[in-house]
Amino acid sequence: MPEESQPFFHVLHFEQLDSTNAWLRKMAAGGVPEGTVIWADRQTAGRGRHGRAWYSTGNWGLWFSMVLRPTFPSQNAGWLSIAAGVGVASSLHRLSGLGPESAVRPELKWPNDVLLGGRKVCGILCETSISGSALDWAVVGIGLNRLVPPEGFPEDIRLTAAALEEFVPESDMPSAQELVSSILAGVYGAYRRLSDGGADALRLQAEALMGSMLGKEVSCATPAGTLSGIAMGLDSHGALVLRDARGVEFSVNAGDVSLGTGRFIQEEL
Ligand code: BTN
C-alpha cells in the first residue's frame, strides 16, 4: 500500500462511554477491521497508562481510539506507540501557531506523549494482543486536550497539562471533526511508514521531535530501580538509549523519566 493511502476509517461517535479503548479492545478481539474508530464526547472511566485515570469529562477534548492490524512481528510493537506520537505531532505541526516558523512546536516525550511548550497536550494508550511473534491487533487510544476544560484542569495536572487553544489562534482553531480526521491520517501515515519501511523509517523523525530530551541527563524509575544517563536516542526496538557516566550505553523500556526539574512520565507500551 503506498504511504499516502489510508484505510476507510469507520468512525462510531458516542456521547458517552466508559472508555473508548475498553470498547474497542472488545471489538478488535471480535474481529472488526483495521480503521475502525470509536470516538466519545466524554468518558466516565477514561484510562491512562499504568492503570491511571485519564481526565476526559467533556467534549472540550478529543477522546478516540482506532484499531490497527499490524503485519510486522510483535518485537516491533514498541514502535507502534512511537508511531502514534509522531503521527499526532506531525498533524499538529500543520496548524497555525505550531508550524516550523513558530516559537512553540509539538514535541514528542518518549515514547508517545505530545507536548506543547513543555506541557502535555496529548496522551496515547496503545494496547496490543500478541500471539507468539504475531500482533493480532492494536488499539491506539488518543486523548487530546483541544480546549481547557470549563472547570479548569484538575489540581494534580494543572501545571503539566496544556490545551491546543492556548497555542492556536482562535480564528484558526480547527473543529473537533477536522482535528480527528487530521490526527487519524497522521497516525495512520506514520504506522504505514513503520509497516513499509521498518523502524529506521521512523527513528529519525521520532528523534527529531525529541529535541528537549536528547543529549540531556535524564533519570528513569524502572521496576529495577532508578536508572540515569544522557538520553542518546532510540534503539532498534524503540527503547530509549541512555549513556551512563562511564560512557556505557544501555536501553530503558519503561519507567518514570525525569528531565531537569520537570517530571517526564514514561510508561510501557
Ligand atoms: C496516557 O498518557 O496516560 C494515555 C492517555 C490515553 C487517553 C485516551 S482517551 C481515548 C482513549 N480511551 C481511553 O480510555 N484512554 C485513551
Side-chain angles (χ1 to χ4, degrees):
M1 188 184 286
E3 184 180 307
E4 300 307 327
S5 69
Q6 293 176 14
F8 170 67
F9 291 115
H10 182 56
V11 181
L12 303 165
H13 192 173
F14 296 84
E15 268 180 32
Q16 176 173 301
L17 288 177
D18 50 5
S19 154
T20 57
N21 261 47
W23 275 83
L24 208 49
R25 281 179 60 121
K26 287 184 223 151
M27 290 168 69
V32 293
E34 179 164 281
T36 305
V37 174
I38 290 200
W39 174 12
D41 285 344
R42 59 182 172 274
Q43 300 183 115
T44 54
R47 293 162 45 197
R49 294 193 303 256
H50 278 315
R52 292 180 176 126
W54 180 258
Y55 193 67
S56 39
T57 52
N59 63 1
W60 47 270
L62 301 174
W63 328 118
F64 61 100
S65 307
M66 70 191 290
V67 174
L68 298 174
R69 295 196 175 274
T71 51
F72 51 75
S74 57
Q75 63 175 18
N76 273 346
W79 279 102
L80 257 181
S81 76
I82 296 172
V86 166
V88 172
S90 55
S91 77
L92 297 187
H93 216 263
R94 290 194 207 103
L95 298 176
S96 153
L98 300 176
E101 309 302 325
S102 308
V104 173
R105 273 171 282 166
E107 287 196 303
L108 187 64
K109 192 199 72 183
W110 175 80
N112 56 9
D113 286 347
V114 180
L115 309 183
L116 288 178
R119 289 179 286 133
K120 179 165 169 173
V121 73
C122 176
I124 294 166
L125 177 63
C126 188
E127 301 183 282
T128 52
S129 168
I130 292 174
S131 305
S133 62
L135 269 163
D136 300 327
W137 50 259
V139 167
V140 179
I142 294 168
L144 183 119
N145 304 326
R146 184 170 163 269
L147 309 174
V148 176
E151 66 278 19
F153 286 111
E155 195 61 42
D156 58 335
I157 58 170
R158 192 154 291 167
L159 295 178
T160 53
L164 205 53
E165 71 168 344
E166 297 176 68
F167 301 92
V168 176
E170 198 179 342
S171 54
D172 295 331
M173 199 54 185
S175 69
Q177 179 79 56
E178 286 164 344
L179 259 180
V180 170
S181 299
S182 150
I183 290 171
L184 286 174
V187 171
Y188 194 75
Y191 161 67
R192 288 309 323 175
R193 280 197 295 287
L194 173 63
S195 301
D196 298 342
D200 285 340
L202 210 62
R203 183 189 284 109
L204 282 182
Q205 202 183 355
E207 289 180 345
L209 289 164
M210 291 167 58
S212 58
M213 252 184 121
L214 296 186
K216 311 257 170 58
E217 176 83 22
V218 301
S219 294
C220 184
T222 75
T226 299
L227 305 170
S228 299
I230 308 282
M232 303 303 295
L234 302 173
D235 74 7
S236 60
H237 300 294
L240 183 66
V241 178
L242 300 184
R243 179 184 287 166
D244 71 13
R246 292 165 301 151
V248 177
E249 293 194 353
F250 58 99
S251 295
V252 180
N253 284 303
D256 283 344
V257 176
S258 308
L259 168 66
T261 51
R263 186 139 190 276
F264 273 59
I265 300 165
Q266 140 59 27
E267 295 155 34
E268 67 225 335
L269 175 66

